[in-house]
């Protein structure tokens, strides 16, 4: 099964110059955990996650209305292509310890794929389980 068959094709992206506050509102409004950060040319520049907002903005006591997304985003994020096998997506998630990947074709974001998308496809339970174990295994518990 290919990534294009399970990815979410509707992508909500944000420009690196927009505020962290706008990113937070978009994450909440669209019920997603990550936004691809794309410049005016549509090229992927990074990804901003809810975790980025908390750790790099709020915990640092920055004003989210003043902090540009480009300052807190994760640069050079892991990514997959629409024609990649979903097992490669699961392995990439595990290796990079992320739950979501931008799907990129010719440098442009054409979708997002999450661990949940992979689980819903109903195949490759072993790869998905391994990815989740790798991602969750290194989380510090209080």
């Amino acid at each position: 099964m290919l990534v294009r068959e399970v990815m979410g094709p509707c992508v909500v992206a944000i420009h690196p110059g927009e505020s962290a506050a706008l990113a937070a509102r978009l994450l909440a409004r669209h019920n997603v955990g990550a936004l691809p950060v794309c410049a005016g040319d549509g090229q992927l520049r990074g990804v901003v996650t809810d975790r980025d907002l908390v750790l790099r903005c709020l915990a640092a006591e920055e004003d989210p209305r003043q902090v540009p997304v480009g300052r807190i985003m994760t640069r050079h994020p892991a990514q997959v292509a629409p024609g990649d096998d979903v097992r490669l997506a699961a392995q990439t998630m595990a290796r990079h310890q992320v739950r979501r990947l931008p799907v990129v074709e010719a440098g442009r974001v054409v979708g997002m794929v999450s661990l949940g998308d992979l689980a819903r496809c109903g195949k490759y339970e072993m790869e998905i389980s391994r990815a989740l174990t790798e991602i969750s295994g290194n989380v510090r518990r209080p």
Side-chain angles (χ1 to χ4, degrees), residues 34-110:
L35 297 172
V37 180
C38 300
D41 60 1
Q43 298 291 308
L44 180 66
R45 299 289 187 251
V47 171
V48 65
T49 66
D50 44 10
R51 190 169 195 274
D52 292 331
L53 291 168
V54 170
L55 296 180
R56 297 178 182 162
C57 185
L58 298 176
E61 297 183 4
E62 299 275 357
D63 181 352
R65 295 169 299 182
Q66 303 300 317
V67 174
V69 167
R71 201 164 94 203
I72 62 168
M73 71 183 183
T74 299
R75 296 177 187 332
H76 313 293
Q79 56 189 267
V80 290
D84 288 343
D85 190 279
V86 295
R87 288 175 288 210
L88 175 63
Q91 292 164 359
T92 302
M93 288 177 189
R95 187 174 335 107
H96 294 276
Q97 296 186 333
V98 297
R99 295 173 186 264
R100 300 164 195 89
L101 294 170
V103 181
V104 179
E105 189 168 48
R108 294 180 179 264
V109 179
V110 295

